[in-house]
Amino acid sequence: MRQYNIVATYSLLITMTFLQEVVDILLAYITESFDRETKVIDFHYPNELLQRNNWELQDEPETLDDILISCRATLKYAIKTAHPRYFNQLSTGLDMVGLAADWLTSTANTNMFTYEVAPVFVLLEYVTLKKMREIIGWEDGRGDGIFSPGGAISNMYAMLLARFKMFPEVKEKGMSSVPRLAAFTSEHSHFSIKKGAAALGIGTESVICIKADESGKMIPADLERKILEAKQKGFVPFFVSATAGTTVYGAFDPLIAISDICKKYQVWFHVDGAWGGSLIMSRMHKWKLDGVERSVLKLTWNPHKMMAVPLQCSALLVREEGLMQNCNQMHACYLFQQDKHYDLSYDTGDKALQCGRHVDIFKLWLMWRAKGTIGFEAQIDKCLELSEYLYNKIKDREGYEMVFNGKPQHTNVCFWYLPPGMRYMEDKEEKKKRLHKVAPVIKARMMEYGTTMVSYQPQGDKVNFFRMVISNPAATFEDIDFLIEEIERLGQDL
Amino acid sequence: MRQYNIVATYSLLITMTFLQEVVDILLAYITESFDRETKVIDFHYPNELLQRNNWELQDEPETLDDILISCRATLKYAIKTAHPRYFNQLSTGLDMVGLAADWLTSTANTNMFTYEVAPVFVLLEYVTLKKMREIIGWEDGRGDGIFSPGGAISNMYAMLLARFKMFPEVKEKGMSSVPRLAAFTSEHSHFSIKKGAAALGIGTESVICIKADESGKMIPADLERKILEAKQKGFVPFFVSATAGTTVYGAFDPLIAISDICKKYQVWFHVDGAWGGSLIMSRMHKWKLDGVERSVLKLTWNPHKMMAVPLQCSALLVREEGLMQNCNQMHACYLFQQDKHYDLSYDTGDKALQCGRHVDIFKLWLMWRAKGTIGFEAQIDKCLELSEYLYNKIKDREGYEMVFNGKPQHTNVCFWYLPPGMRYMEDKEEKKKRLHKVAPVIKARMMEYGTTMVSYQPQGDKVNFFRMVISNPAATFEDIDFLIEEIERLGQDL
């Protein structure tokens, strides 16, 4: 019985044996995850799951064999996000090079704040951000950027930088030195814009929602009207966040028209491309982001979504060099000593909101090396092809109704499934009420059977509908066929 | 030659072989890291390192063999944070159970925002936060909390919650609806308090620095005086952040006296225990945190520091249930559907500032199971014992001068090393000037030889001194002896 040595590290032999045993468990889990015969999830309700295993923390140590048992139990009840039929979130799939890179990152166990403690990772962040800026089309790839803990924080950074750029005194004096600000974003945009405004002391009421058209794109004329209205009320418009790939519809706001308005009224133009930004890597689809190069200030782009980089990997790209540093630096002299023997511009910590910062860069960098730009392109194109296949398959199929007309711009396919008993109901209100309950029941059954998972939600006055998204490179046409069959199998009696 | 399949996932055989090859590289790196004969770092200046390898991103894919070469190159130039002689940061060491847990986390590749996609991890966060609250001494472990991307963000949350608790209208209306606020923290506190105030629109000028005594502890009388002063100037004091374990001196602010003042003036009392919070797990040292149970609102506690959990692992503990949810929720209906079939209180995403949130809990939970509470205690006690050994060894040794008197309260030992040629200098100013340059030169030499690493910095009017910290469970008395010998070897000619 191998007791864990609670103070010192273990003998090397025991360490190596234990780690290899864990790896064997992980490799078996990966094999299972890619097997369509395996369940996506072995679902249990929270109280039930709490009782199915001993999860409590004790005073006394456990043996290493017990630890292996805990690892197996954790994976037994985990969701298989790599499964080719897991479509529940914008981040799905498991790339083996990305995974290997994440294992290496954990083993290197360091921190992005200084070159001193993360020399290679800091350089790779520099190289990768530059490459991303070149792809956007900023001259010579010039500018700045950072990998942050997710798109919501990246968007918050963007708002923070816009405010500082317009009113640098806000850093010292706070919002009391600044006029009442107004930010603008579409009614379909991500909730992180409002969340950021609440945190930054701007307030959610200062986030003005711009109308979207039927397919979810921001209406530029409404933006201009609302900017003028805000000015009349004495607000200072400082920030427009356009969305490239909305969360639910996958819509791309018209960036050129929006940037023209921003220029006219001197408002900072940000693009939230957390979900759709990756399409810029596809020669076939990048026109949807036309105008992104005009984002005067910054762009959020999450490789952990459409590029299937393991979680978390979110980039904020900033056009102006030095802006992040000026906005966030506090000159902590215990960390950013000015008399170090190397080029201090590689100490990136003082431009971040965080102090310690997790290494998120290596998995993206290594995947990029393995796939090349053309590999990411092929992967993205394939996901869009699958979603077009789904759209074509259901748009005229009996029992389906599309939430918006026309081919989706991203992989989001939004639709209602109407069980046979509801298809010819005459009472529109009653039908709507019943339809609202269909998706939640089918979803619950999917999870109980564990066969597949797809998301649903209401939007505005539209009752619950399915939002199918595809970002998993392992998915195939047959998996799309399966999803449709499964929805019909699980929903026909409703 | 195995070309990376750029679109679909690989055949299982190739996947398994490749992952095993990466694991072999990682296991060899771990073996090296624990070997004292190996260098802590193979240091190169940034421009030189950029040229020593091809780090560029290309259009075309590489072979898997090239990818393995990149992994080896990355590790060759990485810093060995697990090395028993790496003392450079507050987070050091590599726990094998923590590492295994991090590998499992990467493999599970999911997101903390809902129970639906992270059932086990959400439950383990619940179990662990409750245990941490019980240890603090909050009744029945009641309260709330979250794991956030580091102590700086945890501190920002704390300030955000305090502001919301006092002025809930700030969420909608922003800072213009709120009087001018004042926050208080010691001059030795972490820079994240000011950084948070800048971001939240409070402004750095509203963070009032309280004087610290000679050993770095906040002086309660100065706090009371400054609160009264701020009130007289029309500010509303809303937040006091006491530090349990300051970054440089490792000082513990007198929490009981501070909490009494907070109570008297009705100011929210936060404890930043990012560095020192873990001492609460030691029966021998927890008295240093007496009064922490009075933190009315919240506590930052980073297990990735003194508990040697792999980066990142930072907890914010909050006393009032529901406060985080009320402060941060935005009701995104695409994620937090109200008609799900399970208990929605386990969907933790809407109380976070982030949307997607990395799984940071599993490594702490698994280490806790492996070590037991007594294992963490033993590990912490051992690090403190080592630092006491260092302190006793140098306090009267020729050529050393302590930065503050008395036994350090945490593992921070702050000292100057005076090379022989400087010890009897009479010109005090000249001596100070020369002493200021000693630590940077020794540090640069340490990195060039790669034998050890320790941090240095100035503080207030004190010129550059070494700040030795010990959080690596692999360090021994001999490593402390080595550090002293090495400083003398590298610095004697200065």
Side-chain angles (χ1 to χ4, degrees), chain A residues 4 7 10 12 15-16 20 23 31 43-46 49 54-59 61-62 70 74 77 79 81 86 88-89 93 95-97 102-103 106-110 113 115-117 119-120 123-124 127 131 149 152 156 163 171-176 180 190-191 195 198-205 247 310-312 328 332-334 337 339 341 346 350 352 354-355 358 362 365 368-375 382 440 443-444 448 456-458 464 473, chain B residues 4 7 10 12 15-16 20 23 31 43-46 49 54-59 61-62 70 74 77 79 81 86 88-89 93 95-97 102-103 106-110 113 115-117 119-120 123-124 127 131 149 152 156 163 171-176 180 190-191 195 198-205 247 310-312 328 332-334 337 339 341 346 350 352 354-355 358 362 365 368-374 382 440 443-444 448 456-458 464 473:
Chain A
Y4 189 47
V7 179
Y10 251 128
L12 265 179
T15 301
M16 296 300 136
Q20 186 59 56
V23 167
T31 305
F43 179 79
H44 299 278
Y45 292 92
L49 185 53
N54 166 22
W55 307 108
E56 290 305 311
L57 297 168
Q58 312 286 349
D59 287 349
E62 291 196 335
S70 284
T74 300
Y77 300 111
I79 199 139
T81 57
Y86 172 75
N88 206 61
Q89 307 297 147
D95 182 274
M96 71 163 180
V97 173
D102 218 18
W103 287 358
S106 303
T107 311
N109 192 29
T110 194
F113 49 33
Y115 177 82
E116 182 174 334
V117 304
V120 187
L123 289 187
L124 297 184
V127 165
K131 181 83 178 174
M156 193 169 94
R163 179 177 70 180
K171 183 176 176 181
E172 284 84 28
K173 303 205 175 293
M175 288 291 287
S176 59
R180 193 85 196 263
H190 191 259
F191 69 89
K195 207 165 238 194
L200 302 185
I202 293 166
T204 55
E205 287 178 4
T247 314
L311 283 159
Q312 63 196 32
N328 291 323
C333 58
Y334 79 93
Q337 301 90 337
D339 45 12
H341 63 310
Y346 290 95
D350 214 14
Q354 299 173 264
C355 173
H358 189 259
F362 190 62
W365 181 83
W368 205 321
R369 294 278 284 209
K371 288 173 187 280
T373 310
I374 60 163
K382 188 196 157 198
K443 171 70 176 278
E448 274 155 31
Y456 74 86
Q457 67 284 299
N464 278 323
Chain B
Y4 188 45
V7 179
Y10 251 125
L12 265 179
T15 302
M16 295 300 136
Q20 186 60 55
V23 167
T31 305
F43 179 79
H44 300 278
Y45 291 93
L49 185 53
N54 166 22
W55 307 107
E56 290 306 310
L57 297 168
Q58 312 285 348
D59 288 349
E62 292 197 335
S70 283
T74 300
Y77 301 112
I79 198 138
T81 57
Y86 172 76
N88 206 60
Q89 306 298 146
D95 183 274
M96 70 163 181
V97 173
D102 218 17
W103 287 358
S106 303
T107 310
N109 192 30
T110 196
F113 48 34
Y115 178 81
E116 181 174 332
V117 303
V120 185
L123 289 187
L124 297 184
V127 165
K131 182 81 179 175
M156 193 170 93
R163 180 177 71 181
K171 182 175 177 182
E172 283 84 28
K173 304 205 175 293
M175 287 292 287
S176 58
R180 193 83 197 265
H190 192 259
F191 68 90
K195 208 166 238 193
L200 302 185
I202 293 166
T204 54
E205 286 179 4
T247 314
L311 283 159
Q312 61 194 33
N328 291 322
C333 58
Y334 79 92
Q337 301 90 337
D339 44 14
H341 63 309
Y346 290 95
D350 215 14
Q354 299 172 265
C355 172
H358 189 259
F362 189 62
W365 181 83
W368 206 319
R369 293 278 282 210
K371 287 173 188 282
T373 310
I374 60 163
K382 186 194 157 201
K443 171 69 177 279
E448 273 154 33
Y456 74 86
Q457 67 284 296
N464 277 323

Side-chain angles (χ1 to χ4, degrees), chain A residues 188-235:
Chain A
H188 280 238
S189 72
H190 191 259
F191 69 89
S192 55
I193 304 295
K194 281 201 170 183
K195 207 165 238 194
L200 302 185
I202 293 166
T204 55
E205 287 178 4
S206 290
V207 179
I208 295 167
C209 273
I210 309 302
K211 276 191 199 140
D213 66 16
E214 200 267 341
S215 66
K217 293 173 199 221
M218 189 195 284
I219 299 172
D222 194 54
L223 172 63
E224 184 157 17
R225 187 167 53 244
K226 299 253 170 78
I227 287 178
L228 287 169
E229 256 178 46
K231 282 165 87 91
Q232 275 177 344
K233 286 184 192 159
F235 285 84

Side-chain angles (χ1 to χ4, degrees), chain B residues 378-391:
Chain B
Q379 179 180 314
I380 290 163
D381 286 352
K382 186 194 157 201
C383 288
L384 279 140
E385 194 188 342
L386 284 174
S387 76
E388 196 173 336
Y389 174 78
L390 170 63
Y391 168 74

Side-chain angles (χ1 to χ4, degrees), chain A residues 23-242:
Chain A
V23 167
D24 293 342
I25 292 173
L26 299 180
L27 295 182
Y29 178 77
I30 295 167
T31 305
E32 255 189 62
S33 295
F34 286 119
D35 179 2
R36 289 180 174 75
E37 301 299 309
T38 319
K39 284 181 169 191
V40 174
I41 184 170
D42 180 6
F43 179 79
H44 299 278
Y45 292 92
N47 281 333
E48 199 190 332
L49 185 53
L50 269 172
Q51 282 156 23
R52 283 185 86 91
N53 198 47
N54 166 22
W55 307 108
E56 290 305 311
L57 297 168
Q58 312 286 349
D59 287 349
E60 297 299 318
E62 291 196 335
T63 66
L64 286 182
D65 298 306
D66 287 333
I67 292 302
L68 294 177
I69 291 170
S70 284
C71 289
R72 282 193 204 96
T74 300
L75 291 174
K76 174 171 166 43
Y77 300 111
I79 199 139
K80 297 198 173 60
T81 57
H83 197 290
R85 292 173 182 168
Y86 172 75
F87 304 109
N88 206 61
Q89 307 297 147
L90 304 183
S91 307
T92 62
L94 188 66
D95 182 274
M96 71 163 180
V97 173
L99 178 63
D102 218 18
W103 287 358
L104 185 147
T105 301
S106 303
T107 311
N109 192 29
T110 194
N111 196 315
M112 292 296 283
F113 49 33
T114 60
Y115 177 82
E116 182 174 334
V117 304
V120 187
F121 299 129
V122 164
L123 289 187
L124 297 184
E125 186 172 75
Y126 172 83
V127 165
T128 308
L129 287 170
K130 185 161 186 292
K131 181 83 178 174
M132 292 171 93
R133 290 189 304 259
E134 282 166 7
I135 289 175
I136 296 174
W138 289 346
E139 206 188 330
D140 298 329
R142 277 209 294 272
D144 203 347
I146 202 163
F147 281 80
S148 92
I153 302 285
S154 292
N155 284 338
M156 193 169 94
Y157 264 113
M159 201 181 274
L160 182 65
L161 292 173
R163 179 177 70 180
F164 176 76
K165 179 74 186 164
M166 205 175 265
F167 300 101
E169 64 274 25
V170 73
K171 183 176 176 181
E172 284 84 28
K173 303 205 175 293
M175 288 291 287
S176 59
S177 68
V178 167
R180 193 85 196 263
L181 302 177
F184 303 84
T185 194
S186 114
E187 54 184 334
H188 280 238
S189 72
H190 191 259
F191 69 89
S192 55
I193 304 295
K194 281 201 170 183
K195 207 165 238 194
L200 302 185
I202 293 166
T204 55
E205 287 178 4
S206 290
V207 179
I208 295 167
C209 273
I210 309 302
K211 276 191 199 140
D213 66 16
E214 200 267 341
S215 66
K217 293 173 199 221
M218 189 195 284
I219 299 172
D222 194 54
L223 172 63
E224 184 157 17
R225 187 167 53 244
K226 299 253 170 78
I227 287 178
L228 287 169
E229 256 178 46
K231 282 165 87 91
Q232 275 177 344
K233 286 184 192 159
F235 285 84
V236 174
F238 82 111
F239 182 74
V240 171
S241 178

